[in-house]
Amino acid sequence: MKLLVVEDELKTLQAIQQGLEESQFEVDVAYDGLIAKRLALKNNYAAIITDLILPGLNGYELCRQLRAEGLATPILMLTALSESSDKVIGFDAGADQYMTKPFQFAELLARVRSLTKRGTQVAMTAQTLRYGGVELNLDTKTVMRDGQPIDLTAREFALLEFLMRNQGRVLSKPTIAEHVWDINFDTGTNVVEVYINYLRKKLDRDFPKKLIHTQFGMGYTFKEE
Amino acid sequence: MKLLVVEDELKTLQAIQQGLEESQFEVDVAYDGLIAKRLALKNNYAAIITDLILPGLNGYELCRQLRAEGLATPILMLTALSESSDKVIGFDAGADQYMTKPFQFAELLARVRSLTKRGTQVAMTAQTLRYGGVELNLDTKTVMRDGQPIDLTAREFALLEFLMRNQGRVLSKPTIAEHVWDINFDTGTNVVEVYINYLRKKLDRDFPKKLIHTQFGMGYTFKEE
DNA sequence: AACATTTCTTAGAATTTGCTTAGACAGACC
DNA sequence: GGTCTGTCTAAGCAAATTCTAAGAAATGTT
């Protein structure tokens, strides 16, 4: 687990680095806000620990700019005692935790552990496929057509996903069977036909514009008009 | 919440006292270091705010002697002097925070609040996840639903945490197993199902609105309605 | 129009998936 | 050692989905 520590005071920096490394973290360091920003955007750190007062770019600005770049990495902000009114600013900038110096190292460690636990989150990308008024959300496994929810089973969903990913293309039944069912189309099965039928009932039946088209003797196409 | 304010300049003292009382603190006052010491040892104050320059016993001595008596009450030291050497002395004496006059009352209030929170040196920001009436506190490892405490085992807690962090998303059993159990889902285990069941009994059973939903053939989702 | 081929539709059988419970096992605490 | 607590396995049951199979309909060909 890799961390970035940003601090311009060498003694403090080394103390933190050493302590974290002893606790099995990999630690990158930066003395300067601008360098820190570059590192933070390049590497995928589990958390960033930064001082507020820094050369180049202060902790507040660093934090704000990283968030502006869409970085979700947890940030722990350190500040000296006489800066407590900056606390509010720190949170507004997007810091996740705030800690006043001086502090016990054990406390820092506890907080870093708590922050890095958030890594249990699955990839944040909200993947949705859109075409012809149909919206297929891969995270929530939901399907909407013209704003109306459509309830699909797991297999139906997989089939629709495959059709939408190959939107406009003619897909033969063996191809579909292979991708959606992981079967060789040897066995004279008609599952594909059956499931196309299920999908049509749910997705096309109540709408004037059909999206699933039969290409006689060739396969099926997902397209408008 | 009871505070002690030690200050010999009457005008300043009254301003601080009034401001704090308006902010719902109970305030005791002292004009003199010796009186302050007696009060501080007798009453259990949430924090002590003291000037550095005082008759009887100066703020530095007051601070040092209280610590020598084993008092752990947070101390906020006020001083007109802004030289850093004074800061060092202040901290050595055992003060928790240090503030130079003149100051904005809002800042004083913020510091007092931070000091009276939890522990002395650190204003802990409670790490809690909230969703649909459920409050999961990562620091205390406690869970509440609609203000009612819910008792969970470590594994149940980890599962709920993972569900809440990925709230709204459909999580497959292999994904859950990997993140909450650190296992490859090869082994035909059904732990996930069993623990979903445990969690439902404790979290959903006695509430009309269910939060854990089964997406047949796909996984589980944590969401409202 | 008659036929062959392909696709659609449906019912219900087969299978998969999920829920629930009981109990085995291990570690913590007396 | 015995008890308790928490974690996990296993098995039976229920429910939902998936698939098969067979007749109906549609399409294309002669």
Side-chain angles (χ1 to χ4, degrees):
Chain A
M1 187 110 55
K2 221 165 157 189
L3 305 176
L4 175 64
V5 180
V6 193
E7 164 71 75
D8 61 332
E9 202 193 330
L10 198 64
K11 223 178 88 188
T12 311
L13 178 61
Q14 286 178 337
I16 294 174
Q17 179 178 17
Q18 193 186 334
L20 289 174
E21 279 172 350
E22 277 169 10
S23 305
Q24 313 306 319
F25 287 101
E26 284 175 70
V27 179
D28 280 1
V29 298
Y31 316 91
D32 175 289
L34 286 168
I35 295 168
K37 184 184 170 189
R38 208 149 30 80
L39 284 170
L41 291 174
K42 204 178 78 185
N43 301 293
N44 186 26
Y45 294 109
I48 298 169
I49 300 151
T50 177
D51 193 20
L52 179 60
I53 312 269
L54 287 174
L57 200 67
N58 67 41
Y60 166 69
E61 265 303 311
L62 173 65
C63 193
R64 211 183 52 71
Q65 291 189 21
L66 289 176
R67 292 288 182 249
E69 295 275 352
L71 197 78
T73 310
I75 296 176
L76 169 57
M77 192 112 101
L78 304 175
T79 95
L81 284 173
S82 49
E83 297 151 13
S84 76
S85 62
D86 295 317
K87 183 172 166 183
V88 178
I89 297 170
F91 282 120
D92 284 347
D96 297 279
Q97 288 219 12
Y98 169 94
M99 201 161 155
T100 50
K101 294 193 284 189
F103 51 81
Q104 300 280 52
F105 180 74
E107 170 118 29
L108 175 71
L109 190 61
R111 288 185 184 225
V112 169
R113 290 223 167 99
S114 129
L115 283 175
T116 53
K117 248 200 131 178
R118 197 200 292 182
T120 51
Q121 192 167 15
V122 169
M124 276 277 270
T125 49
Q127 275 267 23
T128 51
L129 303 177
R130 266 174 255 267
Y131 185 82
V134 176
E135 214 176 291
L136 182 145
N137 188 316
L138 293 166
D139 290 329
T140 60
K141 306 284 187 195
T142 54
V143 176
M144 307 271 274
R145 174 149 189 195
D146 299 342
Q148 208 172 327
I150 303 220
D151 199 60
L152 299 183
T153 69
R155 190 69 83 187
E156 288 160 2
F157 188 91
L159 174 58
L160 178 57
E161 182 185 342
F162 184 64
L163 292 178
M164 287 186 77
R165 281 194 193 285
N166 296 89
Q167 148 257 118
R169 207 168 297 172
V170 178
L171 302 163
S172 74
K173 274 176 277 189
T175 302
I176 294 173
E178 202 171 303
H179 284 87
V180 180
W181 274 264
D182 278 322
I183 55 170
N184 288 42
F185 205 60
D186 309 335
T187 51
T189 181
N190 70 334
V191 254
V192 178
E193 289 165 32
V194 171
Y195 269 82
I196 287 287
N197 186 236
Y198 288 164
L199 251 191
R200 277 179 165 148
K201 275 185 190 164
K202 293 183 176 180
L203 195 79
D204 268 351
R205 170 122 86 189
D206 306 331
F207 295 83
K209 291 188 178 176
K210 309 307 177 193
L211 290 167
I212 300 170
H213 304 272
T214 305
Q215 228 71 24
F216 201 95
M218 298 172 150
Y220 301 94
T221 314
F222 190 83
K223 66 176 179 193
E224 280 187 288
E225 132 225 8
Chain B
M1 188 109 51
K2 222 166 160 189
L3 305 176
L4 175 64
V5 180
V6 193
E7 167 68 78
D8 61 333
E9 200 192 330
L10 198 62
K11 223 177 89 188
T12 311
L13 177 60
Q14 286 179 337
I16 294 173
Q17 178 178 16
Q18 193 187 332
L20 289 174
E21 280 174 350
E22 277 170 11
S23 304
Q24 314 306 322
F25 286 103
E26 287 176 69
V27 180
D28 280 1
V29 297
Y31 318 91
D32 174 290
L34 285 167
I35 296 167
K37 183 183 171 189
R38 207 149 30 81
L39 284 170
L41 292 173
K42 203 178 79 182
N43 302 293
N44 184 28
Y45 295 109
I48 299 169
I49 300 151
T50 177
D51 193 19
L52 179 61
I53 313 266
L54 287 174
L57 202 66
N58 69 39
Y60 166 68
E61 266 303 312
L62 172 64
C63 194
R64 211 185 50 72
Q65 290 189 23
L66 289 177
R67 291 288 183 250
E69 295 276 351
L71 196 78
T73 309
I75 297 176
L76 169 56
M77 193 112 97
L78 305 176
T79 159
L81 304 173
S82 52
E83 282 97 359
S84 58
S85 59
D86 289 304
K87 283 188 193 173
V88 176
I89 294 169
F91 285 124
D92 284 347
D96 296 282
Q97 289 214 11
Y98 172 93
M99 202 162 153
T100 50
K101 294 193 282 190
F103 54 81
Q104 300 280 53
F105 180 74
E107 171 152 10
L108 175 71
L109 190 59
R111 292 189 184 219
V112 170
R113 289 224 167 98
S114 130
L115 282 175
T116 54
K117 256 192 186 167
R118 171 205 127 145
T120 46
Q121 303 205 332
V122 181
M124 192 59 151
T125 47
Q127 281 273 105
T128 54
L129 302 177
R130 265 174 259 267
Y131 185 83
V134 176
E135 215 176 291
L136 183 145
N137 189 316
L138 294 164
D139 295 324
T140 59
K141 306 286 183 196
T142 54
V143 176
M144 307 273 274
R145 174 149 190 195
D146 298 342
Q148 206 172 328
I150 306 241
D151 196 60
L152 299 183
T153 69
R155 191 66 85 186
E156 288 160 2
F157 187 90
L159 174 58
L160 179 58
E161 182 185 342
F162 185 64
L163 292 177
M164 287 186 78
R165 284 194 191 287
N166 295 91
Q167 148 256 114
R169 204 167 293 178
V170 175
L171 302 165
S172 74
K173 274 176 275 190
T175 300
I176 294 172
E178 205 170 299
H179 283 85
V180 179
W181 275 265
D182 278 323
I183 55 170
N184 287 45
F185 203 60
D186 308 334
T187 51
T189 181
N190 72 334
V191 253
V192 177
E193 289 164 32
V194 172
Y195 270 82
I196 286 285
N197 187 235
Y198 289 164
L199 209 52
R200 276 179 166 150
K201 276 185 189 163
K202 292 183 176 180
L203 195 80
D204 267 351
R205 171 121 86 187
D206 305 332
F207 295 84
K209 290 188 179 175
K210 309 306 177 194
L211 291 168
I212 301 170
H213 304 269
T214 304
Q215 227 72 23
F216 202 97
M218 295 169 162
Y220 299 95
T221 314
F222 191 83
K223 67 175 178 193
E224 281 187 287
E225 132 221 13

